[in-house]
Amino acid sequence: MVSLGMKLPPPHVRAWYSYAFAAEVYSACGLAIFLPITLEQLAREVGYYAPELVERCVISADSSVSDGVEKVCKAHILGVWVDTASFSMYTKSIAVAIQAICIISVGPLADSPHWRKRLLLTFAYGGSLSAVIFLLFPPTPSTLLPALAALLFIVGNTAYATSVVCNNAFLPILAKEDEDVQQVYQQSRRHGRAAYDTDVSSDRENNAYSRASLDEEARNLLPGVLIPAVRAISTTDLAESDPAQISKTPISPSSRTHYETLLSLTTSRLSSTGTALGFLSGVSVLTLLLIPVLLLEGSTFALRLAIGLSGIWWAIFTIPSWRGLPGGGGDGTSKEDRAIGRAGGLKDAWKRIGRMISPREIRKLPNLYGFLLAWMFLSDGFHTTTYSAILFASSVLSMSAAKIILIGILVQLSAVISSIFVPKIQRHLSEKAEREDRKPITNFKVLLYAVVAGAMIPLYTCVGLILPFGGLRTEGEMYVLAVWFGLVFGPFLSYSRAVYTELIPPGHESTFFSLFAFTDKSASFIGPAAVGLIADLTGNLRYGFIFLLIMLSVPIPLLLGVSVRKGNEQARIWSEGKASDTIVSTGIREGEDEDEEARTERQGLLAAS
């Protein structure tokens, strides 16, 4: 609870927090739980059991199993017969691919003060509307409804992701409005560093994933013990760095370094608190939605009602952001600023990504890019495992919607618990190892353990293809695996960012974390498409877990080839090289400016004479 007399955040910050509180409900409830099973269920309502395709599919316990054999339900959608579970996977794959394109393309627009808030509201209300439309579906099954639901899923998924990009673009502005940051900035002006604000804004403009830090405001709004754990598992926070990153940047008494450090810490504190608020709203609403789902016995209408309510929540709690966030309208925004994001701006965004993944950069930072390659497999594998498990519980185990909600809650809460206690265990074991003159437990080792533990889930599911018992055949096993996955998933996300942080060139965190987010999304459409195709061809979703086992096993040798120590040294050298280039180019520009001033002065003297 918020204590009386506590210091509330400024109005702009409260408005920014409100959007995290609004949008994360749609992500945690709609995208993660209800939309996957709604797509599958809508398709099942118009489907027929293969291979005869004459017996209508039914939605009830044990309906998918006959004489110990799993029955495959296929629906005729857009002229093609498709496995109902595969249909949901294909939709997810298309949604993620479009989302990746939009995230990159919207970057230049989100950087513009004129467009930032307009885009946020457009995507927010476009996404919430796509969820509310589910309430208007007719009760009678139709072959058009699965296709319409898939379209709404794609729109909502894309709108949510791009709105988060726009929302994160406010972070540098909000951080610079902080009283302490303003005070340090004024001190830097008095020391002749007034121009530094422009330099920082160009380097830090999109740094929504900077170093982790908490202050009194965050602790007043939320239980302090939850914030580091929540930050690790929230879908809003794609790539937040680790507190250890602070030690990479040497602290000097200069006002410039002090300003940079404080700005980064303030940005991170805002990000952490907003992420935690979003997580708590998502889990709380997900728990409350158990009530209508139970009362309506998990019917398709109950699922559509849950999606619609999450969209209404999204729309209502976006209103404070609409009213409170700074906007670009009527404030003297230049024509050039309004023109940002046209063909040239979008082209530059893609060129920037191309330069970052060029062979030249890869040769300079082989360990960093080696880790990114492993991360592409791992991110796709873990997220596809989540999606596949939800569909497996619904279509193969015939678990009710209420039970699937419980699975989602178990995963989230287990991730929180592991994110709190794993760092403490690591610290205890490392201190013990140092006392015994042994190597400490590094972040890299913890990540490797998490990857191996995560691979056990598809491995165990594949056992069901060989043995007549075990291998995820019962609801009890699904609950156990949900807890196991949550215990693994929290540390996986947080420690993957921690390891990546150690490989980033100092002073270029924003640039490389944007690349981290890009690699996360650019390949994440492959897993759902591949699992869906395998399930479609074999008639058994369980075979898709063989692909997931490969996806989580291939990165292990790739990770073993990464040296964090060498990567850290390569990052330092790369950063120093960039700094030298900047100094040289700045000197050239200053020389050009001086020549221009001299020419102007001479022209003025000639005119006067």
Side-chain angles (χ1 to χ4, degrees):
M1 296 294 294
V2 178
S3 60
L4 296 177
M6 62 162 284
K7 179 182 178 182
L8 288 174
H12 284 171
V13 175
R14 293 201 299 270
W16 189 82
Y17 286 160
S18 177
Y19 190 74
F21 190 77
E24 189 68 13
V25 166
Y26 175 76
S27 174
C29 302
L31 294 178
I33 302 293
F34 297 113
L35 278 166
I37 56 179
T38 300
L39 287 173
E40 197 274 338
Q41 202 152 303
L42 286 172
R44 180 175 285 271
E45 287 180 342
V46 296
Y48 297 83
Y49 286 120
E52 294 84 4
L53 300 178
V54 292
E55 180 187 356
R56 293 294 297 265
C57 301
V58 293
I59 305 172
S60 63
D62 302 325
S63 62
S64 61
V65 180
S66 178
D67 299 328
V69 178
E70 293 175 358
K71 299 170 66 175
V72 179
C73 181
K74 290 198 172 188
H76 195 254
I77 302 174
L78 299 178
V80 179
W81 286 97
V82 59
D83 186 305
T84 54
S86 298
F87 171 67
S88 185
M89 300 296 290
Y90 293 149
T91 303
K92 173 69 171 179
S93 178
I94 295 172
V96 172
I98 295 176
Q99 171 187 326
I101 295 172
C102 290
I103 284 176
I104 299 170
S105 301
V106 83
L109 285 170
D111 288 341
S112 163
H114 176 76
W115 290 107
R116 187 182 294 126
K117 184 175 179 179
R118 289 170 169 82
L119 284 173
L120 172 65
L121 296 175
T122 299
F123 286 119
Y125 283 103
S128 61
L129 179 62
S130 72
V132 173
I133 291 176
F134 277 90
L135 296 174
L136 306 179
F137 278 27
T140 306
S142 168
T143 55
L144 293 178
L145 291 183
L148 177 59
L151 177 62
L152 294 175
F153 179 97
I154 294 170
V155 171
N157 186 79
T158 303
Y160 165 76
T162 46
S163 71
V164 168
V165 171
C166 297
N167 196 47
N168 284 341
F170 282 97
L171 271 172
I173 299 173
L174 302 179
K176 290 177 183 179
E177 290 180 350
D178 184 82
E179 293 181 3
D180 294 334
V181 174
Q182 284 287 317
Q183 183 178 359
V184 173
Y185 173 66
Q186 294 300 327
Q187 293 174 355
S188 70
R189 286 180 61 91
R190 288 194 292 270
H191 287 81
R193 299 182 181 274
Y196 181 60
D197 182 67
T198 303
D199 296 334
V200 170
S201 64
S202 62
D203 291 336
R204 303 283 181 175
E205 182 65 22
N206 292 314
N207 192 6
Y209 315 117
S210 54
R211 311 174 186 100
S213 172
L214 303 175
D215 68 353
E216 180 183 357
E217 174 192 302
R219 290 194 176 95
N220 282 329
L221 288 174
L222 296 157
V225 70
L226 284 181
I227 296 176
V230 168
R231 187 175 62 240
I233 64 175
S234 173
T235 55
T236 307
D237 196 9
L238 297 176
E240 186 169 4
S241 60
D242 188 79
Q245 171 68 10
I246 299 174
S247 62
K248 290 178 58 180
T249 305
I251 304 295
S252 72
S254 70
S255 57
R256 171 169 179 163
T257 302
H258 183 40
Y259 176 83
E260 177 184 359
T261 301
L262 183 59
L263 179 65
S264 182
L265 293 176
T266 303
T267 303
S268 180
R269 178 253 300 171
L270 295 173
S271 177
S272 300
T273 308
T275 297
L277 283 169
F279 167 80
L280 292 178
S281 68
V283 173
S284 300
V285 174
L286 182 61
T287 304
L288 290 175
L289 287 176
L290 269 173
I291 298 174
V293 170
L294 286 171
L295 292 176
L296 297 172
E297 299 180 347
S299 63
T300 304
F301 174 73
L303 300 176
R304 294 192 287 106
L305 176 63
I307 297 171
L309 290 176
S310 68
I312 293 173
W313 178 286
W314 188 0
I316 291 176
F317 286 97
T318 297
I319 293 176
S321 301
W322 185 347
R323 295 175 59 87
L325 284 174
D331 56 355
T333 306
S334 65
K335 293 181 178 180
E336 292 78 7
D337 183 65
R338 298 185 185 188
I340 291 178
R342 292 177 181 173
L346 299 179
K347 186 177 179 180
D348 289 342
W350 285 93
K351 281 184 176 180
R352 182 188 178 197
I353 292 294
R355 287 193 297 268
M356 292 179 69
I357 59 177
S358 65
R360 178 185 176 187
E361 296 298 326
I362 293 175
R363 286 194 297 268
K364 290 180 180 179
L365 299 168
N367 285 281
L368 182 144
Y369 283 95
F371 180 85
L372 281 177
L373 179 60
W375 166 251
M376 292 176 66
F377 283 93
L378 292 172
S379 176
D380 194 12
F382 268 89
H383 286 97
T384 306
T385 297
T386 305
Y387 201 85
S388 300
I390 293 295
L391 289 176
F392 191 89
S394 175
S395 62
V396 179
L397 300 182
S398 299
M399 295 180 69
S400 66
K403 292 177 180 178
I404 293 175
I405 293 175
L406 180 57
I407 289 174
I409 295 173
L410 286 175
V411 169
Q412 296 272 19
L413 295 181
S414 299
V416 169
I417 292 172
S418 61
S419 296
I420 291 174
F421 287 103
V422 167
K424 294 182 179 180
I425 295 172
Q426 178 198 12
R427 191 179 307 113
H428 172 74
L429 294 177
S430 296
E431 291 174 353
K432 182 179 179 181
E434 288 178 356
R435 289 194 299 267
E436 298 174 358
D437 293 328
R438 293 184 290 108
K439 292 183 179 179
I441 307 298
T442 63
N443 291 340
F444 183 82
K445 285 185 179 179
V446 177
L447 174 61
L448 197 59
Y449 297 153
V451 172
V452 173
M456 295 297 103
I457 295 175
L459 177 62
Y460 180 76
T461 308
C462 292
V463 169
L465 295 169
I466 304 173
L467 300 178
F469 57 88
L472 198 56
R473 296 179 183 273
T474 65
E475 294 181 2
E477 292 173 278
M478 179 60 75
Y479 291 129
V480 172
L481 285 185
V483 173
W484 177 267
F485 182 77
L487 292 175
V488 171
F489 195 52
F492 164 72
L493 287 181
S494 57
Y495 279 89
S496 61
R497 290 192 286 268
V499 172
Y500 184 66
T501 297
E502 297 180 55
L503 300 171
I504 291 179
H508 298 269
E509 291 85 357
S510 177
T511 299
F512 281 93
F513 270 123
S514 65
L515 181 61
F516 186 81
F518 169 72
T519 54
D520 176 42
K521 296 301 178 186
S522 61
S524 292
F525 69 94
I526 297 176
V531 172
L533 181 61
I534 292 170
D536 222 3
L537 295 175
T538 64
N540 191 343
L541 183 59
R542 194 183 298 272
Y543 282 105
F545 284 86
I546 297 178
F547 173 80
L548 293 176
L549 178 61
I550 296 173
M551 289 289 288
L552 294 178
S553 299
V554 168
I556 294 177
L558 294 176
L559 286 176
L560 292 174
V562 174
S563 172
V564 176
R565 182 183 59 80
K566 291 181 180 178
N568 189 279
E569 180 65 18
Q570 292 163 356
R572 185 186 60 79
I573 295 173
W574 188 94
S575 183
E576 291 175 353
K578 287 291 182 180
S580 299
D581 293 341
T582 301
I583 291 173
V584 172
S585 61
T586 302
I588 293 174
R589 287 198 302 270
E590 289 177 351
E592 292 174 349
D593 292 341
E594 290 175 359
D595 291 342
E596 180 65 27
E597 291 175 3
R599 285 195 296 270
T600 303
E601 184 177 355
R602 286 196 300 270
Q603 291 172 358
L605 290 173
L606 290 173
S609 63

